[in-house]
């Protein structure tokens, strides 16, 4: 009898566990949770994350989220604890201007040297403290007036970039511009970051460029596992199963070592205490170095577990420097590629832009009769050219370089979003630039590249378009490098279309890669340039 009684108790206990499991993981999230009333992207999203994970793994997320928002409205449930919002007031304004904190997505994807960079910091206070250290040197005023910006821009344009297009014209040969644009974007940014003598020279050093880009982009297929399933990776690795090949870690280590070596040399340069010419001054590195030492006197380390700090804050600064230059070359490189692609399909617009660029005093003329006569126009004048700005803004809208979701966590104790109340705290909520930039009520014919929309719009319409424009994010977490990015891209475009016309020779699939960051799927764009 006792055995029968124990068996009965076991059956009851087992049934209770099953019922409890079903209630917690199926019944409650599907029927009773405040999230259950929100339209789902897929029926399973109420209680399983597999649908959205599948979209991310197979590079279908951005286009699918856009389609579903068009069908089901401004808010979607993507998983048991995950939402997407495609709206300004209830999305961009509430979430990102409201200071909702980041989740661990960023730390998994962007941590360098085992050290969290500013971009991946979860809490606003920590991020704000770091951002204040750098905001001055990244401001538009500083970027456009810096002697280092002027000296390095002259050198990179006239000595490295424009001669390539002149050679294309002289020899009637095509130039593969995607890889070249990554090189230019990296060189231009790092020259401001570290000074010209320490920065990359990927435009001219093709072998080094190819090494870097191969190691950087070859890891992309494995970022899904690193970002979305880090615990699974760790557990499998303990039993000898490696979903992510070991060469991926080796490539990451090589890239980090390359960046760290430049940081170490910048440290040695500044430690000498000598006057440094403007062209070689490491503006961004020097600013963070000085600010860290001032803010944390007597301290040599903050959030890094790595012990070999040969000088104060070695890895904290290196992590930020790596994050900034990696973001700069990828996003600006992709954007410039799409600018040249669209311009090469529109010779009439090339003529209009050239006419505008020739109003600069002096214009960005190339070649010069005397190489010593390089005099660039006032950068503020370049910044103020309306057609140039419209071309770049429209490219950043349609061909947005960071189209993927940028997750945040909903606040305590609960909140309301897009008409739905009692949203639990720590719900993952995100907007997608890819979807925001394709709202036909804001951007008519959103799939068309139309720079004139930024020129012909009424003041009210322009304000609305700028509200929804999200190429650089918004709020306190807005991309800190947007001003140097806009400057370097505008100067490249000005240098090219003042002096050359461009035409398409051959290209791969120009559709955007569907990921957190994006470039053309075909990974190549070959253009011919002809001197005017």
């Amino acid at each position: 009898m006792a055995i029968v009684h124990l068996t009965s108790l076991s059956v009851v206990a087992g049934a209770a566990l099953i019922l409890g499991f079903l209630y917690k993981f199926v019944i409650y999230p599907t029927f009773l949770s405040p999230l259950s009333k929100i339209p789902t992207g897929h029926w399973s999203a109420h209680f399983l994350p597999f649908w959205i994970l599948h979209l991310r793994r197979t590079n279908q997320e951005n286009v699918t989220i856009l389609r579903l928002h068009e069908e089901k409205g401004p808010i979607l449930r993507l998983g048991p604890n995950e939402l997407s919002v495609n709206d300004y007031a209830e999305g961009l304004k509430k979430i990102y201007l409201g200071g909702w904190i980041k989740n661990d997505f960023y730390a998994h994807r962007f941590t360098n040297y085992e050290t969290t960079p500013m971009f991946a910091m979860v809490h606003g206070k920590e991020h704000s403290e770091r951002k204040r250290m750098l905001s001055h040197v990244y401001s538009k005023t500083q970027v456009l007036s810096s002697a280092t910006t002027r000296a390095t821009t002259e050198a990179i344009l006239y000595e490295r970039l424009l001669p390539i297009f002149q050679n294309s014209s002289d020899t009637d040969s095509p130039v593969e511009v995607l890889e070249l644009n990554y090189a230019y974007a990296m060189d231009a940014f790092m020259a401001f970051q570290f000074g010209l003598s320490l920065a990359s020279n990927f435009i001219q050093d093709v072998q080094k460029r190819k090494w870097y880009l191969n190691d950087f982009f070859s890891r992309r297929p494995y970022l899904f596992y690193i970002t979305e399933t880090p615990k699974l990776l760790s557990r499998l690795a303990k039993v000898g199963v490696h979903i992510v090949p070991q060469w991926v870690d080796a490539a990451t280590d090589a890239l980090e070592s390359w960046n760290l070596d430049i940081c170490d040399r910048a440290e040695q340069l500044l430690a000498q205490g000598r006057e440094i010419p403007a062209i070689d001054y490491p503006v961004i590195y020097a600013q963070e170095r000085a600010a860290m030492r001032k803010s944390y006197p007597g301290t040599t380390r903050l959030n890094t577990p790595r012990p070999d700090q040969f000088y104060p804050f070695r890895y904290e600064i290196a992590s930020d420097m790596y994050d900034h230059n990696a973001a700069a070359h990828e996003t600006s490189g992709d954007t410039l590629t799409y600018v040249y692609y669209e311009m090469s399909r529109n010779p009439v617009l090339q003529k209009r832009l050239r006419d505008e660029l020739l109003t600069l005093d002096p214009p960005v003329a190339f070649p010069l009769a005397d190489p010593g006569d390089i005099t660039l126009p006032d950068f503020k004048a370049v910044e103020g050219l309306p057609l140039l700005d419209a071309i770049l803004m429209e490219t950043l809208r349609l061909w947005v370089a960071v189209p993927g979701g940028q997750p945040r966590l909903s606040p305590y104790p609960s909140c309301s979003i897009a008409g739905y109340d009692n949203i639990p705290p720590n719900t993952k909520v995100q907007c997608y630039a890819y979807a925001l930039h394709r709202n036909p009520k804001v951007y008519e014919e959103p799939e068309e590249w139309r720079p004139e929309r930024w020129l012909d719009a009424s003041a009210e319409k322009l304000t609305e378009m700028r509200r929804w424009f999200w190429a650089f994010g918004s709020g306190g977490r807005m991309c800190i490098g947007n001003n140097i990015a806009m400057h370097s891209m505008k100067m490249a475009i000005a240098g090219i279309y003042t002096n050359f016309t461009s035409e398409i020779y051959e290209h791969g699939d120009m559709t955007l890669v569907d990921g957190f960051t994006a470039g053309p799927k075909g990974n190549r764009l070959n253009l011919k340039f002809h001197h005017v």
Side-chain angles (χ1 to χ4, degrees), residues 141-154:
T141 299
Q142 178 68 13
V143 166
L144 298 183
S145 63
S146 167
T148 298
T149 309
R150 178 160 292 273
T152 57
T153 300
E154 287 181 356

Side-chain angles (χ1 to χ4, degrees), residues 30-169:
T30 304
F31 301 106
L32 303 176
S33 166
L35 304 183
S36 64
K37 303 176 180 64
I38 297 173
T40 59
H42 187 267
W43 61 267
S44 66
H46 283 302
F47 53 89
L48 289 172
F50 298 147
W51 169 73
I52 188 63
L53 291 176
H54 171 71
L55 292 182
R56 288 180 183 139
R57 187 181 65 80
T58 56
N59 299 316
Q60 302 177 70
E61 181 179 8
N62 300 331
V63 294
T64 304
I65 296 301
L66 170 64
R67 175 178 58 79
L68 289 169
H69 275 301
E70 291 171 342
E71 294 174 0
K72 301 190 176 188
I75 187 167
L76 293 169
R77 190 179 191 184
L78 307 183
N81 195 43
E82 183 172 355
L83 305 175
S84 171
V85 184
N86 194 42
D87 188 73
Y88 171 72
E90 291 297 303
L92 295 190
K93 184 176 181 181
K94 177 170 283 189
I95 299 166
Y96 300 92
L97 299 183
W100 292 15
I101 66 172
K102 289 187 172 182
N103 69 344
D104 57 8
F105 164 85
Y106 301 91
H108 293 320
R109 189 173 181 121
F110 297 103
T111 293
N112 316 301
Y113 311 102
E114 304 171 73
T115 303
T116 306
M118 179 181 71
F119 178 69
M121 290 175 177
V122 170
H123 296 288
K125 183 176 183 296
E126 182 184 25
H127 174 270
S128 296
E129 288 176 354
R130 185 68 59 85
K131 190 172 184 178
R132 278 195 296 271
M133 296 179 183
L134 291 166
S135 57
H136 171 65
V137 293
Y138 274 117
S139 69
K140 182 181 290 188
T141 299
Q142 178 68 13
V143 166
L144 298 183
S145 63
S146 167
T148 298
T149 309
R150 178 160 292 273
T152 57
T153 300
E154 287 181 356
I156 291 173
L157 280 181
Y158 281 88
E159 296 173 18
R160 300 184 189 179
L161 186 66
L162 295 179
I164 291 175
F165 302 117
Q166 184 64 52
N167 182 68
S168 172
S169 177

Side-chain angles (χ1 to χ4, degrees), residues 138-141 143-144 383 472 479-488:
Y138 274 117
S139 69
K140 182 181 290 188
T141 299
V143 166
L144 298 183
E383 176 70 17
F472 295 106
C479 173
I480 194 171
N482 67 306
N483 293 312
I484 186 66
M486 291 293 283
H487 164 75
S488 66

